[in-house]
């Protein structure tokens, strides 16, 4: 592929197509270096600024990463998360990763106004509050904060969740099978505490997900999760517009 100077498509967009083809096609594999800015400029007859603009954008999208003094490399593809009522453990296992879970905080507390509303409970109802760092092959992926009414799982606090699935525990120990859910997803900046846990530079983007999961029409879990923006993307099939 070459840059067409007569094309109405901006040169940085044309270079983007060329680089994407190199990254996603058969040209390069993960952790391979891409040609330097100078080499790309010479090869495609582009200014250094145009080349940098294109690379900056691909770095921001998580398709490339820079190592100061070394160059720019092909990043791992992001995990394409389906919009489903899946547990982290199940999802990661299906992708061939070893899922992990580290407790950051677990306690029983009275639900505040917001949590109580989300759970359809009177304020002050006792709930389990669980904050966990979720890992895949020991790499931090997400921070999850779940609130679960005591009525569904009275002694949940006595069960370890290290390396164990919360959803599986709910099902096996308490006979609570989640059968529906709703979820919102927003772009957000990682808060400084979560950034440390996720080993991300301050100010990194995350996908902020709020989930309510139900069993027989009753809300069992309200969860707020921060997923690494550099490792996750959402994927869904699209139905025809009705
Ligand atoms: C998912 C849920 C989270 C739930 C967890 C259970 C999102 C955004 N969140 O990660 O609400 O607590 O699964 O996973 O999808 P586990 O069964 O592996 O503990």
């Amino acid at each position: 592929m070459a840059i067409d100077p007569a094309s109405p498509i901006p040169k940085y967009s044309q270079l983007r197509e060329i680089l994407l083809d190199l990254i996603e096609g058969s040209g390069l594999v993960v952790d391979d270096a891409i040609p330097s800015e100078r080499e790309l400029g010479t090869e495609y007859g582009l200014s250094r600024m145009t080349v940098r603009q294109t690379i900056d954008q691909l770095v921001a999208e998580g398709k490339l990463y820079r190592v100061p003094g070394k160059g720019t490399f092909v990043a791992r593809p992001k995990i394409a998360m389906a919009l489903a009522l899946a547990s982290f453990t199940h999802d990661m296992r299906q992708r061939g990763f070893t899922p992990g879970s580290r407790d950051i905080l677990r306690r029983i507390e009275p639900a505040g106004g917001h949590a109580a509303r989300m759970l359809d409970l009177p304020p002050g109802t006792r709930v389990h509050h669980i904050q966990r760092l979720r890992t895949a092959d020991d790499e931090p992926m997400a921070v999850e904060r779940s609130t679960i009414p005591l009525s569904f799982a009275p002694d949940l606090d006595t069960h370890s969740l290290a390396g164990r699935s919360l959803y599986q525990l709910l099902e096996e120990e308490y006979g609570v099978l989640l059968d529906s859910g709703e979820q919102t997803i927003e772009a957000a900046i990682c808060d400084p505490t979560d950034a440390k846990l996720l080993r991300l530079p301050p100010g990194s983007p995350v996908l902020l997900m709020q989930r309510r999961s139900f069993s027989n029409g009753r809300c069992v879990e309200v969860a707020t999760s921060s997923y690494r923006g550099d490792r996750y993307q959402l994927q869904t099939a699209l139905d025809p517009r009705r």
Side-chain angles (χ1 to χ4, degrees):
M1 259 198 272
I3 301 282
D4 175 3
S7 165
I9 299 169
K11 288 189 183 132
Y12 69 84
S13 299
Q14 294 189 51
L15 179 62
R16 177 187 162 83
E17 284 302 307
I18 292 172
L19 290 178
L20 280 177
D21 194 44
L22 204 63
I23 298 167
E24 290 165 356
S26 51
L28 295 174
V29 296
V30 173
D31 294 332
D32 271 356
I34 64 160
S36 69
E37 289 178 9
R38 195 164 38 81
E39 285 165 343
L40 288 168
T42 311
E43 184 170 350
Y44 295 105
L46 297 170
S47 73
R48 191 84 179 254
M49 221 175 76
T50 304
V51 174
R52 182 160 303 165
Q53 184 184 4
T54 313
I55 293 178
D56 281 350
Q57 198 183 19
L58 292 169
V59 168
E61 286 173 30
K63 293 198 160 65
L64 295 173
Y65 67 94
R66 284 197 173 97
V67 179
K70 291 230 160 82
T72 306
F73 302 84
V74 177
R76 285 172 295 173
K78 291 185 184 179
I79 294 171
M81 184 193 256
L83 291 172
L85 187 56
S87 91
F88 182 88
T89 304
H90 180 77
D91 188 34
M92 287 300 123
R93 277 205 187 118
Q94 277 204 325
R95 295 168 192 278
F97 294 107
T98 303
S101 174
R102 200 184 90 206
D103 285 352
I104 302 163
L105 179 92
R106 286 183 66 178
R107 64 169 175 236
I108 295 174
E109 59 190 16
H114 173 72
R117 233 182 349 271
M118 301 283 278
L119 287 162
D120 294 325
L121 292 174
T125 308
R126 293 190 348 129
V127 292
H128 295 285
H129 186 66
I130 302 169
Q131 284 187 34
R132 294 182 293 165
L133 177 68
R134 310 309 307 265
T135 57
D137 291 349
D138 291 327
E139 187 186 5
M141 298 302 241
V143 177
E144 298 198 314
R145 298 178 170 83
S146 304
T147 304
I148 297 173
L150 245 66
S151 55
F152 289 108
D155 61 355
L156 181 62
D157 53 313
T158 63
H159 292 276
S160 166
L161 285 170
R164 192 161 184 201
S165 159
L166 172 63
Y167 284 1
Q168 199 181 353
L169 184 65
L170 284 172
E171 196 177 328
E172 289 172 358
E173 289 286 329
Y174 306 100
V176 176
L177 182 60
L178 299 171
D179 52 25
S180 64
E182 54 186 44
Q183 187 163 313
T184 59
I185 300 141
E186 293 165 69
I189 296 297
C190 197
D191 83 49
T193 317
D194 288 359
K196 275 203 190 113
L197 291 165
L198 293 169
R199 293 192 222 129
L200 292 175
S204 297
V206 286
L207 293 170
L208 181 65
M209 321 230 197
Q210 314 249 20
R211 178 185 285 199
R212 294 170 81 206
S213 11
F214 301 83
S215 178
N216 291 319
R218 292 192 304 154
C219 186
V220 175
E221 182 200 29
V222 169
T224 303
S225 311
S226 296
Y227 277 69
R228 282 173 57 169
D230 61 336
R231 296 294 290 122
Y232 278 91
Q233 59 182 199
L234 294 158
Q235 187 181 42
T236 186
L238 298 177
D239 291 332
R241 200 167 167 199
R242 278 178 246 279

